[in-house]
Amino acid sequence: MRVSFQVKSISSQGNCNIGSFSNNLIRHLEECLKMTADYNGYWKMIFNENFEEYLKALDVTVAIRKIATLLKPDKDITQDGDHFIIKTLSTFRNYNMDFVVGQEFEEDLSGVDDRKCMTTITWDGDKLVCVQKGEIEGRGWTHWIEGDELHLELRAAGIVSKQVFKKS
């Protein structure tokens, strides 16, 4: 699709008057042109809140929950534009996720709760937002970066767990 328009004037503050284009369209275009965050790197967990309740919402067994809550997994993230490989690494189990932002795929969660779901990850500004459609209502996560910290909010069945990782 090709869109063309004529800029009628630009003020000294850099504001444009673009005829019939609305300010909402301009804001949307500005958002689309922003650079996304750089998630590349190795991240070590420094904070983990409400994780056992999140695992309960996923119907993970008591034994696995007890082991999982003792772990401090690392994240090894490779990003090439909208293509991501996120490796969650621990002494108990590793989980790899390979996806392209905006493309739905079948995710095999056998390393987590032994389910499959249809997963879509999208950008919300600089945040990665994941929706996992399957047996568990409201399942997904959100990743974002603040300084040298990677934040992760995990959601399932109304339960929210928060994790923070520091870039190493």
Side-chain angles (χ1 to χ4, degrees):
M1 178 174 75
R2 185 175 171 195
V3 176
S4 62
F5 56 88
Q6 179 181 8
V7 175
K8 291 184 179 177
S9 66
I10 299 177
S11 71
S12 60
Q13 290 84 23
N15 298 325
C16 295
N17 177 358
I18 306 178
S20 64
F21 281 92
S22 72
N23 287 335
N24 288 337
L25 177 58
I26 294 168
R27 272 189 240 110
H28 177 72
L29 290 171
E30 287 171 346
E31 286 296 316
C32 290
L33 294 173
K34 282 184 183 176
M35 293 297 293
T36 57
D38 181 7
Y39 284 79
N40 283 296
Y42 198 86
W43 307 82
K44 293 187 164 289
M45 180 181 277
I46 59 171
F47 178 78
N48 192 4
E49 176 183 83
N50 210 33
F51 190 56
E52 185 166 6
E53 292 303 312
Y54 168 76
L55 294 174
K56 280 182 189 176
L58 295 177
D59 294 324
V60 173
T61 66
V62 173
I64 299 297
R65 283 198 319 259
K66 295 301 176 190
I67 293 169
T69 56
L70 294 173
L71 299 173
K72 291 187 118 186
D74 297 338
K75 298 247 182 211
D76 186 7
I77 302 177
T78 305
Q79 174 188 3
D80 183 11
D82 281 346
H83 179 227
F84 281 78
I85 300 171
I86 300 177
K87 297 176 183 177
T88 304
L89 309 168
S90 75
T91 54
F92 178 62
R93 250 184 216 160
N94 297 329
Y95 180 72
N96 296 329
M97 189 174 198
D98 188 332
F99 63 91
V100 175
V101 175
Q103 293 182 11
E104 185 179 55
F105 63 97
E106 184 178 61
E107 184 176 8
D108 183 354
L109 295 158
S110 56
V112 181
D113 65 345
D114 297 324
R115 290 187 172 92
K116 289 186 179 182
C117 61
M118 294 308 293
T119 299
T120 305
I121 298 142
T122 57
W123 287 111
D124 180 7
D126 281 348
K127 293 182 179 183
L128 285 173
V129 178
C130 173
V131 174
Q132 297 166 313
K133 296 176 190 168
E135 296 175 36
I136 305 294
E137 191 67 32
R139 184 174 186 171
W141 51 259
T142 301
H143 262 307
W144 70 94
I145 296 173
E146 291 179 12
D148 64 347
E149 293 180 347
L150 173 70
H151 293 255
L152 174 59
E153 180 183 275
L154 299 158
R155 298 176 299 279
I159 302 298
V160 177
S161 172
K162 295 183 180 180
Q163 299 178 341
V164 180
F165 301 80
K166 189 159 186 80
K167 196 165 196 174
S168 63

